[in-house]
Amino acid sequence: MLKIRLRRAGARNEPTYRVVVSDARERPRGRFVEVLGYYDPRPNPATVRIDVERAEAWMRKGARPSPTVRRLLQQVRSGRS
């Protein structure tokens, strides 16, 4: 099964995250299929850029978003990013 989840990037104590599609059996920092966007929680407000069309296409194919990614997608859809 495929999952849409966050993959940590950035330096120590300065996290940024990529929103990726990966196999659920892979470890979170392992291989991924596609990068859908990024999330930077450090600025106020946080920066969120996700290709919603690609994410929805993956979800139609059976990919399941993690709870955090689901919340970020709702923010992007409502225009609060």
Side-chain angles (χ1 to χ4, degrees), residues 31-42:
R31 292 181 293 185
F32 56 90
V33 178
E34 183 178 353
V35 176
L36 300 177
Y38 65 89
Y39 167 58
D40 186 358
R42 291 178 297 140

Side-chain angles (χ1 to χ4, degrees), residues 6 17 19 36-43 45-52 68-77 79-81:
L6 297 176
Y17 299 90
V19 180
L36 300 177
Y38 65 89
Y39 167 58
D40 186 358
R42 291 178 297 140
T47 306
V48 181
R49 299 278 186 254
I50 300 175
D51 187 346
V52 177
T68 305
V69 171
R70 182 174 294 132
R71 182 178 51 80
L72 292 174
L73 281 170
Q74 289 173 349
Q75 284 181 0
V76 170
R77 287 179 186 142
R80 292 185 293 152
S81 62

Side-chain angles (χ1 to χ4, degrees), residues 11-26:
R12 182 175 32 154
N13 298 324
E14 295 183 3
T16 59
Y17 299 90
R18 291 183 181 159
V19 180
V20 299
V21 178
S22 64
D23 190 330
R25 295 171 293 188
E26 287 290 330

